[in-house]
Amino acid sequence: MKKFLLTFTVLLLPVTANAQISSKQMSAQNAQKVINRYAPIVCQKGLNGLIKDVQKCYKKTNINSADIEVCVAGDIILIMAKDGRQLPPELDKSFINERAFEERIKKVADSSYFFGGQPAQYATDKGVGLLYYIGDGLAPYIDDRNPLQSLAKHCQK
């Protein structure tokens, strides 16, 4: 998880982060919601199913609600899963490219849920803070080198 966060810090942050989220990381309860939502999808439908469900999550979830954490966590898992991997040619990569991901993270980071809805003066800084917040909460559950396999382990009961 730390390796992934460092990679995206370089992409998203040219300066030191100034924004703070009220707690250090996403709660274990919300991390479990992530596992409960996305593990069965990964086990049954793979990466393509995960992409579709994360897209649906963003569409159906109010950006100012606590449930947006689940969408962002799924998004981070997607980006980790595609990082450095050969993706099937038929896979729609438009949702999981770095630029699209960065824009979603900045938008969510500007929501009142995470930072009180303050103007986007430090949108990039807030995005990095958001990545660490979610990433640190997921770290006990998701291996950043094998995120899809980490999720799949939760299906084997």
Side-chain angles (χ1 to χ4, degrees), residues 33-106:
K33 285 181 185 178
V34 171
I35 300 302
N36 293 345
R37 178 174 182 142
Y38 296 123
I41 291 166
V42 167
C43 293
Q44 296 170 8
K45 299 178 183 177
L47 184 61
N48 223 0
L50 184 59
I51 291 169
K52 289 176 184 173
D53 198 74
V54 171
Q55 287 174 316
K56 184 170 74 172
C57 186
Y58 277 117
K59 286 179 186 171
K60 292 188 173 213
T61 304
N62 182 323
I63 199 167
N64 294 310
S65 77
D67 292 336
I68 197 68
E69 289 185 20
V70 174
C71 304
V72 174
D75 212 352
I76 290 172
I77 291 167
L78 277 173
I79 297 302
M80 289 187 311
K82 77 155 197 90
D83 190 33
R85 290 177 175 77
Q86 189 74 7
L87 299 176
E90 70 278 358
L91 187 70
D92 179 9
K93 298 168 191 75
S94 62
F95 184 77
I96 59 173
N97 73 55
E98 281 82 9
R99 183 48 124 186
F101 173 75
E102 182 180 330
E103 291 303 314
R104 287 189 301 275
I105 295 301
K106 285 180 182 179

